[in-house]
């Protein structure tokens, strides 16, 4: 086949002309003379700084302020290696290469479980990298349908719906409720995750905030509302920065007494709690009382993505109106196949949960024995209160530099100022010796954080 | 090791007691008697329907209304097969098995390119399924760093930042601008994507809507604002439902004349336009004039995920304040490795683009020759106006049922009512005969949609 080489460079321009404004760019002279004209015009009419200069200054100001507050975030790029898990590798810290990760949400090591890898690999080579479209426009595959069915069944609900992430699931579902029921009142725990807060904001529904996990305050707030007014109590099963567990049975009591529905974020509960990994609601035998369960695959299931489960017509309505569900590329099939394998495995295996809670118990006991300021957690999330951003960062640097142990400092905006903490996560894959070594290291570093940091 | 079997069922409860409310669930009797009490209480105090009944009724009402309008969406679950691409398979339609997909955003077939599959496979087996954390908390890997560097370099910018999706990139970036510059005024094209609209809403910044692609209206609106007021013109390079291309050179002229910045959504442009696939701005030699470029991997790059690129301090500031970036699990490393391979391949290969635009030219010529209502598109997105939701669906059903060709009807809310259309996408992987056959089939079905539908 004879090819005209000139056509190869930008051949499509001949087939489909670019819009009028762009055609001028084919004529370099035209473009350059206009640029000079404009520069003259702009400099003659510029009594103030340009927008981009003002913007850059604002950005620098914000960055400097966060640095001054110790709230500037440096990300630590990790090399992961399934065979070394839960260890990872880094080249960022002098003298440290292999690090033991004590802050991953991959609680049960499912991200590298053989069944998960096999499912994802097979689907990758069969179906490719991405889905190629939104759910409505060629982006629904049999993997989407299968995972939605699985999650509905896991929670004993009629239907489920996938979202790009757990964050998006919260924001879009809560945001969409107003389209169904503009008079709905949302009662929201003061410690709810930012994705819930953003969803409530987006909904513009009337909201009432109650004290964290306080049945008394919840009841006071419910009593103050008319019985007939439609209400939804919005809570998490496990609060991600505190490890607190919601008093579900008491909340269900209030639901019936005050004519409310319950929206439950189970993102840190699924996989970890319940006999089939369906979360705290399953563990409490309360799943049937929850109207909307939100969960995701980015924590104990080792993958990525979020979902909701509930009554068929409600899930269908949200499917039809939530813009962040409709107008976005659907999740990659190979990822969904991995998620599904993890969910199915954890429906019948207790081994990982048993190991996780063995380690959690060891960790809590160790921290208490050492008199370290472990916070009141009822779950596998174990925060240690530091109360100062700089000190928090210093301790983490000490753990990393001296012991090769990685815990990320948790600062504002993840927690309030003065509540800075280490959020220690042991996984099911840590050995008891890993856990004991961590407690010893933390005790050492906390006894002299400045020294540790310098080392 | 001797195991107490009773401990295996719920062993973690002993290590970490669940919160008080949940403990009652261990006592079945207590739970059941409370349920009876509550049921009595609730029925005695229920002058109205319960919230969940009202909600379910509202959901059913919405579903029925959408059905009546022809805007109810049925998803078509596909079996993908890399070896059959661009064909896919379905079991949902009687008498049809193998279907030719004419509506995928995987414009260049990159989702199954050997280099992409190899990169994703290697990273999956090395790093596992998910990242295990948010970017700040153990979820930054060397793949995140590498892809951000690549995207910055591709666009000639100082820095780039990844988001879960292109949708999230728009919503969160625009939403976060107010935190940097509360006085910023956003000028937004009336046809901007929903993710942009949601971002502008979230920002609560002053917004001015201008007529689609109208330089005259844009200039009128800019003239009405003080020169010194900071402004940002928010546009797309290619409008996803119309195929229109923004007149970038003219918009850049306005930027300088009226002291504005430019935010450019290149999601349908990257990979497809420009000598290195950097989008329409590269093609127009205007990339240096764009302050924030938004793009993603879910279309021509065949993957998933979104990003922005721009000045280092601006990108850093958005990184530090955008909640939908901060509080979500980072993208899976294996997906990023696939995205990166696609980006790098399309930096130096024009073959896919050449094939795509050969097919686009064939399609447009064919539709015009047949006198079919092809809309005025300047890109690879080729809409055919139908103007009625039911007719649109009928034509698509006809194409699918009679010819095994899949085009999704585009209805409200993706386009305004009365603007219902087919959005026809040929990929670089279609043969010229595929394209000709599609034109023939569409002409046949449109000449008698009712007949086609029945067959």
């Amino acid at each position: 086949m004879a090819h005209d080489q000139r056509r190869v460079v930008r051949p499509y321009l001949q087939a489909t002309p670019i819009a009028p404004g762009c055609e001028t760019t084919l004529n370099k002279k035209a473009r350059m003379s206009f640029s000079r004209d404009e520069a003259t015009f702009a400099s003659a009419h510029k009594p103030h700084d340009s927008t981009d200069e003002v913007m850059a200054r604002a950005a620098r100001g914000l960055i400097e302020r966060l640095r001054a507050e110790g709230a500037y975030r440096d990300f630590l790029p990790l090399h992961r290696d399934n065979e070394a898990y839960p260890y990872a590798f880094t080249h960022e810290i002098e003298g440290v290469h292999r690090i033991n990760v004590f802050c991953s949400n991959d609680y049960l090591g499912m991200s590298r479980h053989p069944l998960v890898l096999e499912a994802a690999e097979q689907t990758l080579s069969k179906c490719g990298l991405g889905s190629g479209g939104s759910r409505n426009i060629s982006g629904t595959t049999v993997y989407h349908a299968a995972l939605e069915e699985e999650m509905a069944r896991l929670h004993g609900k009629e239907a489920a719906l996938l979202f790009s992430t757990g964050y998006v699931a919260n924001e879009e579902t809560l945001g969409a409720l107003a389209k169904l029921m503009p008079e709905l009142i949302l009662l929201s725990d003061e410690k709810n995750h930012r994705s819930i807060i953003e969803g409530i904001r987006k909904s513009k529904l009337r909201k009432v905030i109650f004290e964290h996990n306080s049945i008394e305050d919840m009841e006071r707030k419910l009593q103050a509302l008319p019985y007939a007014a439609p209400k939804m109590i919005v809570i998490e099963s496990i609060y991600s920065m505190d490890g607190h567990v919601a008093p579900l049975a008491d909340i269900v009591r209030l639901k019936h007494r005050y004519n409310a529905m319950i929206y439950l974020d189970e993102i840190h509960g699924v996989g970890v709690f319940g006999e089939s990994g369906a979360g705290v609601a399953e563990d409490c035998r309360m799943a049937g009382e929850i109207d909307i369960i939100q969960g995701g695959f980015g924590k104990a299931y080792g993958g990525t993505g979020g979902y909701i489960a509930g009554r068929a017509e409600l899930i269908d309505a949200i499917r039809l109106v939530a813009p962040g569900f409709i107008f976005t590329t659907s999740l990659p099939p190979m990822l969904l196949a991995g998620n599904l394998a993890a969910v199915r495995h954890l429906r019948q295996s207790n081994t990982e949960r048993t190991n996780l809670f063995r380690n959690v118990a060891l960790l809590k006991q160790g921290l208490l024995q050492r008199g370290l300021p472990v916070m009141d957690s009822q779950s596998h999330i174990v925060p240690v209160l530091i109360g100062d951003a700089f000190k928090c960062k210093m301790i983490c640097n000490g753990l990393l530099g001296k012991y090769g142990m990685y815990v990320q400092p948790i600062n504002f905006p993840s927690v309030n100022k003065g509540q800075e903490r280490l959020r220690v996560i042991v996984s099911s894959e840590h050995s008891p010796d890993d856990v004991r070594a961590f407690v010893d290291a933390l005790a050492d570093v906390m006894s002299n954080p400045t020294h540790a940091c310098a080392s």
Side-chain angles (χ1 to χ4, degrees), chain A:
Chain A
M1 237 165 55
H3 261 300
D4 179 346
Q5 277 307 311
R6 278 168 305 166
R7 293 196 64 207
V8 174
V9 183
R10 290 151 58 87
Y12 45 88
L13 282 177
Q14 301 183 16
T16 56
I18 300 295
C22 281
E23 280 166 14
T24 65
T25 65
L26 297 176
N27 183 340
K28 273 201 172 184
K29 273 186 199 165
R31 183 171 53 83
M32 293 185 68
S33 68
F34 118 71
S35 294
R36 274 199 302 276
D37 288 355
E38 289 302 311
T40 314
F41 178 92
S43 64
H45 290 75
K46 199 164 71 174
H48 299 267
D49 286 340
S50 67
T51 296
D52 72 318
E53 283 162 1
V54 180
M55 176 78 88
R57 204 158 53 226
R60 284 193 298 270
L62 180 117
I63 292 164
E64 279 158 27
R65 184 167 58 74
L66 290 176
R67 278 198 197 279
E69 289 170 0
Y72 185 87
R73 292 161 171 229
D74 289 303
F75 296 159
L76 181 66
L78 298 178
H79 294 262
R80 291 169 59 103
D81 185 343
N82 289 336
E83 304 200 353
Y85 193 93
Y87 289 82
F89 300 89
T90 175
H91 302 311
E92 307 285 317
I93 302 142
E94 215 185 301
V96 179
H97 179 47
R98 183 167 168 271
I99 58 176
N100 203 343
V101 180
F102 287 99
C103 58
S104 171
N105 290 330
D106 186 11
Y107 302 123
L108 305 174
M110 292 306 290
S111 75
R112 38 80 93 156
H113 192 284
L115 291 172
V116 170
L117 295 184
E118 193 193 341
E121 257 164 38
Q122 281 178 359
T123 311
L124 176 64
S125 68
K126 175 96 180 163
C127 303
L129 190 68
S131 75
S134 66
R135 285 295 295 273
N136 192 43
I137 309 178
S138 87
T140 293
T141 68
V142 289
Y143 299 93
H144 296 83
L147 189 56
E148 286 178 342
E149 205 185 312
E150 181 79 16
M151 299 325 289
R153 233 182 304 150
L154 176 72
H155 292 295
K157 301 296 174 195
E158 292 171 359
L161 190 68
L162 295 171
F163 291 84
S164 307
T165 61
Y167 188 103
V168 173
N170 272 335
E171 182 170 10
E172 291 296 318
T173 303
L174 292 165
L177 289 175
K179 293 181 191 170
L180 295 176
M181 217 190 218
E183 71 280 18
L184 184 68
I185 302 165
L186 299 175
L187 292 103
S188 176
D189 190 286
E190 65 178 337
K191 290 227 176 178
N192 272 338
H193 189 257
R194 183 64 176 266
S195 55
I196 293 177
I197 295 168
E198 293 290 333
I200 293 174
R201 274 187 198 152
K202 184 172 272 191
S203 76
K204 299 203 176 88
L205 290 172
R206 181 174 166 193
K207 72 160 187 281
V208 179
I209 310 292
F210 58 83
E211 287 166 25
H212 175 53
N213 264 354
S214 165
I215 291 297
E216 294 68 34
D217 194 46
M218 227 178 288
E219 182 148 25
R220 257 194 310 276
K221 302 277 158 77
L222 283 162
Q223 270 170 345
L225 298 167
Y227 180 84
K231 308 165 205 75
M232 187 178 281
I233 302 169
V234 184
I235 51 172
E236 299 182 30
S237 65
I238 297 173
Y239 289 85
S240 61
M241 292 298 150
D242 294 272
H244 297 160
V245 176
L248 271 193
D250 289 337
I251 295 173
V252 167
R253 193 183 317 240
L254 295 183
K255 159 192 158 133
H256 288 290
R257 190 174 283 262
Y258 297 101
N259 182 29
M261 293 170 75
I262 297 179
Y263 181 101
L264 178 66
D265 177 334
E266 279 270 26
I267 199 117
H268 290 278
V270 288
V272 175
F273 286 86
E275 279 160 31
S276 60
V280 173
E282 179 187 42
D283 201 60
C284 296
R285 310 285 188 273
M286 287 288 153
E289 297 285 358
I290 310 298
D291 298 281
I292 303 180
I293 291 184
Q294 181 267 7
F297 310 100
K299 322 293 187 202
Y301 291 132
T304 288
Y307 67 89
I308 55 168
R311 281 177 82 146
E313 57 265 59
L314 181 51
I315 300 299
D316 202 30
I318 288 164
R319 180 182 74 91
L320 292 162
V321 300
F325 171 82
I326 296 172
F327 296 102
T328 196
T329 300
S330 68
L331 286 164
M334 49 104 183
L335 179 63
L336 301 185
N339 291 341
L340 183 61
V343 172
R344 287 190 174 156
H345 176 71
L346 290 174
R347 285 189 80 151
Q348 44 75 31
S349 170
N350 265 313
T351 315
E352 294 81 3
R353 290 189 274 271
T354 308
N355 290 345
L356 173 64
F357 281 97
R358 174 203 68 203
N359 286 343
V360 170
L362 266 176
L363 175 68
K364 287 180 174 175
Q365 285 158 15
L367 293 170
L368 285 170
Q369 278 165 9
R370 295 293 198 127
L372 295 171
V374 56
M375 296 171 77
D376 170 37
S377 151
Q378 298 114 24
S379 69
H380 54 300
I381 294 170
V382 184
V384 177
L385 185 68
I386 306 300
D388 176 89
F390 289 104
K391 205 175 154 196
C392 205
K393 210 162 186 171
M394 222 181 273
I395 290 165
C396 292
N397 286 346
L399 282 169
L400 202 51
K402 191 168 176 186
Y403 292 101
M405 293 177 185
Y406 175 36
V407 184
Q408 186 66 34
I410 306 289
N411 294 336
F412 180 83
S414 297
V415 295
N416 288 336
K417 286 170 191 176
Q419 290 288 305
E420 289 85 357
R421 64 194 63 175
L422 315 181
R423 178 178 174 274
V424 185
I425 302 292
V426 287
S427 87
S428 61
E429 304 290 291
H430 282 105
S431 72
D433 282 346
D434 283 336
V435 181
R436 285 184 209 107
F438 175 81
V439 172
D440 291 345
L442 183 61
D444 173 49
V445 170
M446 284 191 70
S447 70
N448 195 342
T450 330
H451 174 75
C453 184
S455 72

